[in-house]
């Protein structure tokens, strides 16, 4: 139902359809009640109004739409779409571990435009990726690949804190 139904059915096979769906989600002024998933979840994430449930829906059924130029089942190593990445980091709760890793290791850029209270929002964003960040720092922090910008700065500040914490714990 709705004019986007054919695009949604083929977006996992058709890069042009995928780009249109993502464009509508990012640039649409408001969500349409006739849209079917994944468009409402994409729109909510793109506009900083998403929930952990939206992230889960996207991750479990349509994860390829979160990454730049990916077909279904080929997201490993691809960067997240910046405006969707920023929207994901606005959610409260928990995000899948593999998605946390993607933020840290896939050379993505994060659009922080939806972050209103920088201190609070950055704190929540770092908390969302903290488990994967601790693991990467513990095993090999050279795997951290994030495009330059405020998100990378926040992550690298957290890396310093984790390393200091680990040194303090090993001194005990």
């Amino acid at each position: 139902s709705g004019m986007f139904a054919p695009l949604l059915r083929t977006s996992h096979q058709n890069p042009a359809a995928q780009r249109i769906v993502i464009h509508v989600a990012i640039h649409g002024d408001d969500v349409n009640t006739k849209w079917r998933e994944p468009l409402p979840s994409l729109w909510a994430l793109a506009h900083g109004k998403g929930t952990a449930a939206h992230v889960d829906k996207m991750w479990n059924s349509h994860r390829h739409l979160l990454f730049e130029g990916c077909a279904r089942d080929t997201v490993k190593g691809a960067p997240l779409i910046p405006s969707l990445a920023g929207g994901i980091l606005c959610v409260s709760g928990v995000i899948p571990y593999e998605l946390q890793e993607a933020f840290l290791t896939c050379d993505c850029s994060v659009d922080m435009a939806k972050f209103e209270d920088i201190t609070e929002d950055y704190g929540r964003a770092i908390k969302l990726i903290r488990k994967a960040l601790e693991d990467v720092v513990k095993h090999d922090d050279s795997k951290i690949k994030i495009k330059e910008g405020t998100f990378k700065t926040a992550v690298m500040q957290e890396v310093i804190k984790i390393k200091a914490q680990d040194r303090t714990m090993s001194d005990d």
Side-chain angles (χ1 to χ4, degrees):
S1 100
M3 65 186 218
F4 293 109
L7 288 173
L8 292 172
R9 277 194 298 278
T10 63
S11 69
H12 65 282
Q13 304 161 323
N14 181 338
Q18 181 175 329
R19 283 192 299 276
I20 292 168
V21 168
I22 292 165
H23 182 85
V24 169
I26 292 170
H27 300 288
D29 290 334
D30 202 359
V31 69
N32 185 316
T33 56
K34 291 183 178 161
W35 289 351
R36 292 173 52 199
E37 286 298 338
L39 203 45
S41 291
L42 269 176
W43 184 91
L45 292 172
H47 292 271
K49 300 175 188 306
T51 64
H54 289 120
V55 174
D56 285 343
K57 277 183 200 172
M58 292 304 302
W59 191 254
N60 292 328
S61 302
H62 306 282
R63 75 178 64 177
H64 64 286
L65 293 174
L66 300 174
F67 294 86
E68 292 185 13
C70 286
R72 191 181 298 269
D73 304 325
T74 61
V75 300
K76 197 82 171 154
L80 290 155
I81 295 170
S83 56
L84 295 176
I88 291 167
L89 290 177
C90 288
V91 306
S92 295
V94 177
I95 62 173
Y97 185 84
E98 287 177 281
L99 181 54
Q100 294 178 40
E101 286 181 316
F103 272 100
L104 299 171
T105 61
C106 294
D107 200 29
C108 74
S109 178
V110 178
D111 178 353
M112 306 303 267
K114 289 151 202 77
F115 284 48
E116 294 166 12
D117 178 334
I118 295 300
T119 306
E120 184 180 320
D121 290 341
Y122 278 120
R124 183 176 51 246
I126 294 299
K127 186 176 174 189
L128 281 172
I129 60 165
R130 179 72 188 221
K131 175 66 178 127
L133 183 57
E134 287 173 350
D135 290 347
V136 169
V137 169
K138 185 169 132 187
H139 297 293
D140 182 5
D141 65 1
S142 70
K143 288 183 179 175
I144 296 175
K145 296 199 181 352
I146 305 169
K147 292 224 184 313
E148 291 301 325
T150 50
F151 177 66
K152 182 173 185 169
T153 301
V155 168
M156 298 317 287
Q157 288 171 346
E158 198 64 22
V159 166
I160 292 166
K161 289 179 192 174
I162 291 169
K163 286 181 175 182
Q165 197 174 25
D166 287 349
R167 278 193 300 274
T168 305
M169 293 175 86
S170 65
D171 291 345
D172 291 342

